[in-house]
Amino acid sequence: RKEVEQDPGPFNVPEGATVAFNCTYSNSASQSFFWYRQDCRKEPKLLMSVYSSGNEDGRFTAQLNRASQYISLLIRDSKLSDSATYLCVGMDSSYKLIFGSGTRLLVRP
Amino acid sequence: GAVVSQHPSRVICKSGTSVKIECRSLDFQATTMFWYRQFPKQSLMLMATSNEGSKATYEQGVEKDKFLINHASLTLSTLTVTSAHPEDSSFYICSATRQGRIHNEQFFGPGTRLTVL
């Protein structure tokens, strides 16, 4: 079983839609979690950190449930520019990142 | 914000040659850097952890004699792919950890696309 699992998608949504991505992790050693965004043939870029209390950054909301080992990302009012692959990532105490395989989002006009 | 650079961004070489890739943290010091590899339509796979002033730690299945890592300073790590073969063609990405007050963030370099003919 992969340490971080994501639905690969693709999620194909119209502009303006709300879309939610889920992620589960099996390694309890992961202490911090993040959502990264990766565009085609580019490096991953940090979208946001994920906290148990939940955090919101504009149209993006992330949530961590340690009891269920579950992480979510909600994107409201999707834009065409949101089309990308979203990577769910855990970090252990030695700063190693453990990547999910990514969820592909396509936002259509 | 923090910036991590990689050089070269793209390299094409003949089978059997060695290729050196540099990773630099431009505005912060990084005692730990990481090297990843990403094949098409797959996620990033950690190859090794580069520790300043000490030997790198390699992930299972990664040959340390083939992928030489040197972390000579707090801002520079290098990955050398020795005797490269076509199956080594991939997107190599480094990252550097910036220690923060609340948590630590990793910043990625722009990647190096290696094509071995």
Side-chain angles (χ1 to χ4, degrees):
Chain A
R1 186 186 168 190
K2 290 183 182 176
E3 290 189 51
V4 178
E5 294 209 53
Q6 293 180 252
D7 180 343
F11 284 63
N12 192 321
V13 303
E15 234 180 326
T18 295
V19 60
F21 302 142
N22 302 319
C23 166
T24 57
Y25 64 95
S26 59
N27 182 3
S28 57
S30 292
Q31 298 189 347
S32 305
F33 295 90
F34 308 89
W35 282 101
Y36 277 79
R37 170 195 169 127
Q38 186 174 26
D39 293 288
C40 189
R41 300 173 78 85
K42 298 284 187 182
E43 77 278 19
K45 295 205 169 146
L46 179 65
L47 181 64
M48 58 198 309
S49 303
V50 189
Y51 306 115
S52 297
S53 55
N55 53 314
E56 187 174 314
D57 183 3
R59 298 181 293 109
F60 299 85
T61 301
Q63 186 77 51
L64 164 64
N65 184 322
R66 288 194 185 271
S68 304
Q69 296 187 293
Y70 173 93
I71 299 155
S72 65
L73 176 68
L74 184 76
I75 304 175
R76 290 180 297 277
D77 189 23
S78 299
K79 310 291 183 192
L80 295 176
S81 56
D82 293 334
S83 297
T85 297
Y86 290 84
L87 302 168
C88 177
V89 184
M91 179 190 280
D92 67 18
S93 57
S94 61
Y95 309 136
K96 268 187 182 179
L97 291 184
I98 303 156
F99 283 85
S101 55
T103 299
R104 194 163 167 227
L105 172 65
L106 301 171
V107 181
R108 63 181 188 272
Chain B
V3 178
V4 175
S5 70
Q6 267 185 256
H7 177 78
S9 58
R10 182 184 295 268
V11 60
I12 301 172
C13 68
K14 291 182 179 179
S15 187
T17 58
S18 293
V19 176
K20 186 176 183 179
I21 304 170
E22 291 186 350
C23 177
R24 292 181 187 273
S25 57
L26 297 184
D27 58 358
F28 65 98
Q29 294 183 330
T31 54
T32 305
M33 292 185 176
F34 298 91
W35 286 97
Y36 298 84
R37 181 166 54 180
Q38 186 175 33
F39 292 106
K41 301 195 178 184
Q42 294 185 27
S43 192
L44 278 74
M45 294 298 296
L46 179 64
M47 297 175 68
T49 304
S50 174
N51 304 299
E52 189 267 335
S54 65
K55 290 183 180 179
T57 307
Y58 290 82
E59 295 300 300
Q60 194 172 13
V62 178
E63 298 173 59
K64 62 180 181 181
D65 294 329
K66 180 169 180 64
F67 299 99
L68 301 178
I69 291 173
N70 185 280
H71 195 149
S73 78
L74 287 171
T75 58
L76 173 64
S77 174
T78 60
L79 168 69
T80 302
V81 183
T82 61
S83 186
H85 288 96
E87 58 267 28
D88 298 323
S89 298
S90 187
F91 190 45
Y92 291 85
I93 308 176
C94 72
S95 72
T97 302
R98 184 177 72 176
Q99 296 186 344
R101 283 179 299 172
I102 300 174
H103 59 258
N104 302 308
E105 288 184 41
Q106 278 201 28
F107 294 90
F108 287 85
T112 297
R113 194 160 299 280
L114 171 64
T115 303
V116 185
L117 302 175

